[in-house]
Amino acid sequence: MDVSEIIIAGDTPGIEWRLPVFRFKGTKPGAPQAYIQAALHANELPGTALLHFLLEKLRQAESEGGILGDITVVPQANPIGAAQSHFGELQGRFDLGTRTNFNRDFPLIALGERPSLVENIDRHSAVDRLKRHLLSMALGAELVLDLHCDDEGLQYAYVDETFWPEASDLAAALDMQAVFLSDGESSAFEEAVAHAWKHESAGERRTSLPGRLSVTVELRGTGDVYPEMALKDAEGLYRFLAGRGVVASDRQPLPTFGGVVAPLDNVEMIRAPEAGAILFHHDVGEHVKEGDLLATIIARPGMADGAIEIRSPQDGLIVTRVSTRFARRHSDLMKIACAEASRAARKPGTLEA
């Protein structure tokens, strides 16, 4: 195992960030190469815990000659975000300097333009340099996993339609309960990787990418950082790598994925019509019917008409809900995966900012 650091100079004097990178060299020519990162949103730590245990397993495999394909692991992909707190609370999702989501605005390039990501890189801001380094490393692999988590949620993933159903092995390995099929219309990290693969050269757009995978994995909620969970997830991810031929293993074949599969258009984003305290009537993992009471917003406490009921627009599975118990007007409350498309208008791209 090789451990190195990418040093990112700050945009003001006297500041720099260090990005640790762990690399394993494969022993089998032609074996798939993997790139795995966690905590791009710096306050989402289940993936960091998972990779801590996965690295232990990879070191053991390396000692036994079991690393077949090159593997690159970045367990804390955002040292800039990890240093940004506001009134003692780690922010993590948005850069305080630009107000930009750390998982947006990745360069959308053709794969042949990969060298340009790090050419004259010092002319870019620190955050853009971080994004360019991460994307450049990922584009050297065939399997790219970006580990995130939700506020409160099930184990699920965002998978570009191009990679489904081949990616069902990952869903099964990590015991996911849902998969959202994305439309590839954003500048998030995993979609920037897929964009480069689809546009391997200028003017080209591939619609099939066999053997490749770029995916955002949502490892439950921000508070689900426990040793037992992290170890179980690390074992699942190792089984996925074994199944794809990246590491050697004598484990049994993976089970068939039996969770919910929903295109993004079939995901109901439940939002608050007014500000107020949130009273949830259903938890993540529950199936609801059209018309079921999902939440009550206490918009005007003590008033006879002060409570607002929010009901399910259709049948579905509650995949996520927010951890806060105060809503601003139109803030997100839940995601519900449904069998039919939502009647609410949705722009192409990600579900949330």
Side-chain angles (χ1 to χ4, degrees), residues 73-279:
V73 179
V74 183
Q76 292 178 306
N78 188 357
I80 300 175
Q84 294 185 351
S85 294
H86 185 62
F87 295 140
E89 182 176 346
L90 177 62
Q91 298 302 295
R93 186 175 183 87
F94 296 96
D95 175 34
L96 295 183
T98 63
R99 295 179 286 181
T100 300
N101 188 323
F102 282 112
N103 194 24
R104 302 290 186 272
D105 294 347
F106 278 85
L108 300 178
I109 63 168
L111 185 59
E113 298 172 317
R114 180 188 173 201
S116 69
L117 288 170
V118 293
E119 289 176 357
N120 301 315
I121 197 168
D122 289 341
R123 63 191 175 90
H124 298 281
S125 70
V127 170
D128 284 346
R129 272 177 277 143
L130 172 67
K131 292 178 180 179
R132 285 172 171 269
H133 278 298
L134 295 176
L135 184 58
S136 177
M137 287 188 288
L139 290 179
E142 287 84 36
L143 305 174
V144 176
L145 281 69
D146 190 17
L147 307 183
H148 288 254
C149 69
D150 218 295
D151 240 13
E152 296 177 2
L154 303 177
Q155 195 99 308
Y156 73 104
Y158 291 93
V159 181
D160 189 307
E161 296 168 342
T162 304
F163 305 116
W164 192 260
E166 187 179 5
S168 62
D169 59 342
L170 176 65
L174 285 175
D175 197 21
M176 293 182 189
Q177 292 162 279
V179 166
F180 292 167
L181 298 182
S182 63
D183 45 24
E185 295 294 330
S186 85
S187 58
F189 174 80
E190 51 102 357
E191 294 196 347
V193 172
H195 181 277
W197 290 342
K198 292 174 185 176
H199 301 80
E200 191 158 350
S201 58
E204 180 184 19
R205 192 182 191 285
R206 301 177 64 185
T207 57
S208 176
L209 295 167
R212 293 185 182 268
L213 176 62
S214 179
V215 60
T216 293
V217 176
E218 301 283 357
L219 298 165
R220 308 179 190 88
T222 55
D224 293 321
V225 188
Y226 299 99
E228 297 83 3
M229 284 184 174
L231 181 57
K232 177 179 181 292
D233 291 340
E235 290 172 346
L237 190 48
Y238 192 89
R239 288 196 298 273
F240 164 74
L241 294 174
R244 289 291 183 111
V246 182
V247 296
S249 175
D250 57 1
R251 291 184 178 271
Q252 297 297 315
L254 291 167
T256 302
F257 171 66
V260 172
V261 180
L264 291 190
D265 286 343
N266 289 27
V267 178
E268 295 283 5
M269 294 296 295
I270 308 302
R271 295 186 169 93
E274 293 188 37
I278 308 168
L279 307 180

